[in-house]
Amino acid sequence: HILLTSNNGKKWKQQPSPTRRTLNAVYWVNSRLVWAAGHQSVLLRSQDGGKSWAKIKVLDDPETAFLDVLFVDPKKGFVVGSYGKLFSTNDGGEKWTEKSQDEDPHFYQLTKAPGGSLWLIGEFGTVWRSDNLGQVWEPLDALYEGTFFGALPLTKRGALVFGLRGNIFRSEDGAAWEKIETTTNALLHGGVQLRDGRMILTAGAGELLLSENKGRSFNPVGLPDKAAMPISLWQAGDDSLLVSTDRGVVRLELDDLVGEGKK
């Protein structure tokens, strides 16, 4: 399913999809060019702002799940996924090159820092950083051997990384890491840094984690539907927060984002 909103998440309209495979990630390059990645090595491209989509062939493998897609500009992009799959393109997706790995962890997220570094996150404690757009990846030891699902880059080449059992680790430089304690041991699947600097992570059923000090501490924030399982987050153009859950998309105003410890 592909849903499109043109009014900051107040209303959604389903768009035609060329696949029935599960779609896991979407990335907007600009207002016209959008990519989506999914199971059974599916990669989709839209050139009209998400209204119509076409399959782009990278790999024909029903066992591979593409879990994230990122473009640093309209030509240079990456798609990553299960069993160490990492592909890149330099021509806008017409040709793709696979980078082989010594190991084959599932790669769950690829994100770009404001300074230009790329972060690649996955299972077995995988935290990789590249300062040259993916030509060379530097493995970093974030002090955890379980699965990480995402990262929020910080200044000075650091990041906040998060994953299974409520695990959050933070580093200012990628070398020294600190475990951030929270009140939850739920899976932390998604995260976003708001334009006002605050960080939000998806946590357990009906709950988010909010940081107002660049990830040094977090407080829980409840969703209106306590039974909903939050999955991913975006900030809309009007600054509201859009939260995808297993029960639909929730739209929250920034004034509603108050940690329970501060109410």
Side-chain angles (χ1 to χ4, degrees):
H1 286 78
I2 298 174
L3 304 178
L4 181 65
T5 178
S6 57
N7 57 5
N8 299 307
K10 296 176 183 177
K11 293 184 178 180
W12 297 83
K13 183 178 180 181
Q14 187 170 353
Q15 306 300 310
S17 175
T19 181
R20 294 186 62 84
R21 306 282 77 80
T22 297
L23 298 174
N24 298 308
V26 62
Y27 188 84
W28 288 76
V29 183
N30 52 46
S31 62
R32 302 286 295 175
L33 183 57
V34 198
W35 291 84
H39 282 211
Q40 297 193 14
S41 63
V42 166
L43 186 66
L44 306 181
R45 179 176 64 191
S46 173
Q47 296 177 302
D48 58 5
K51 295 178 182 178
S52 63
W53 296 80
K55 289 183 180 180
I56 301 298
K57 185 176 180 180
V58 180
L59 178 70
D60 186 10
D61 180 9
E63 300 300 320
T64 292
F66 286 145
L67 301 173
D68 202 11
V69 57
L70 170 75
F71 274 73
V72 297
D73 59 47
K75 296 294 185 180
K76 178 70 172 179
F78 304 85
V79 61
V80 300
S82 58
Y83 305 109
K85 295 300 184 184
L86 170 55
F87 291 85
S88 64
T89 180
N90 292 308
D91 59 5
E94 299 304 317
K95 295 181 181 178
W96 293 82
T97 301
E98 182 175 6
K99 182 176 178 61
S100 299
Q101 317 300 328
D102 293 334
E103 299 179 349
D104 56 357
H106 296 333
F107 293 133
Y108 286 104
Q109 189 200 35
L110 181 63
T111 190
K112 182 177 179 293
S117 296
L118 300 181
W119 290 80
L120 184 57
I121 306 300
E123 65 176 348
F124 308 141
T126 297
V127 179
W128 293 2
R129 183 181 62 197
S130 175
D131 296 323
N132 52 17
L133 296 180
Q135 296 181 46
V136 177
W137 292 93
E138 176 187 5
L140 305 177
D141 183 5
L143 308 179
Y144 179 60
E145 296 182 358
T147 297
F148 286 120
F149 289 107
L152 296 177
L154 302 170
T155 57
K156 301 180 181 179
R157 304 175 75 240
L160 183 90
V161 296
F162 49 89
L164 284 177
R165 300 183 181 90
N167 276 284
I168 305 173
F169 291 84
R170 186 183 186 278
S171 175
E172 293 280 355
D173 57 7
W177 292 84
E178 175 190 6
K179 180 176 173 58
I180 304 300
E181 300 295 337
T182 71
T183 59
T184 183
N185 61 358
L187 182 153
L188 305 176
H189 187 274
V192 67
Q193 182 163 17
L194 302 177
R195 286 185 279 274
D196 63 13
R198 290 184 290 174
M199 293 179 170
I200 303 178
L201 308 179
T202 61
E207 191 173 77
L208 307 174
L209 295 180
L210 171 67
S211 174
E212 299 180 285
N213 55 11
K214 300 187 183 300
R216 294 180 176 88
S217 64
F218 286 85
N219 289 304
V221 176
L223 291 175
D225 185 349
K226 300 299 183 181
M229 177 64 70
I231 301 170
S232 55
L233 304 146
W234 301 270
Q235 189 171 18
D238 65 352
D239 285 342
S240 61
L241 181 68
L242 304 180
V243 185
S244 72
T245 78
D246 60 344
R247 297 162 69 94
V249 180
V250 178
R251 185 177 185 274
L252 300 174
E253 302 296 338
L254 291 194
D255 292 342
D256 297 331
L257 299 176
V258 179
E260 292 181 0
K262 295 190 175 183
K263 290 184 178 180

